Amino acid sequence: MTDTRDEVVVYWRPGCPFCIALRLRLRRTRLTYREVNIWQDPGAAAYVRSVADGNETVPTVDVAGHPLVNPSKRRLLATVRDHAPHLLTG
């Protein structure tokens, strides 16, 4: 898996309503991020389990090395402002 210390990564899986909602909300922000489907990336699924008490809880978001399990858009953007403000463009 790639080094996520300088990016925002949204881990998701198809059919997850919480993932759909967060991803739609994020598209309306100025945040630069990458999406990873945990069903297509075993390493990503293992990472999610490692930060979500052994569960594949999605969405899980890594903000420059700071994991958030099922965060709200507000919490996610606050974490970005604290740890990776350069990822907010414009």
Side-chain angles (χ1 to χ4, degrees), residues 24-68:
L24 286 173
R25 288 181 184 105
L26 288 180
R27 288 186 182 137
R28 298 182 197 143
T29 68
R30 300 172 293 125
L31 179 63
T32 301
Y33 62 95
R34 180 169 58 96
E35 296 180 347
V36 178
N37 178 343
I38 67 166
W39 284 358
Q40 293 180 340
D41 185 333
Y47 170 75
V48 168
R49 288 190 304 273
S50 78
V51 299
D53 297 323
N55 300 304
E56 289 185 356
T57 304
V58 289
T60 290
V61 182
D62 187 289
V63 177
H66 300 271
L68 303 169

Side-chain angles (χ1 to χ4, degrees), residues 8-26:
V8 173
V9 181
V10 177
Y11 297 96
W12 68 283
R13 65 169 173 75
C16 168
F18 303 105
C19 298
I20 293 167
L22 181 63
R23 292 166 67 210
L24 286 173
R25 288 181 184 105
L26 288 180

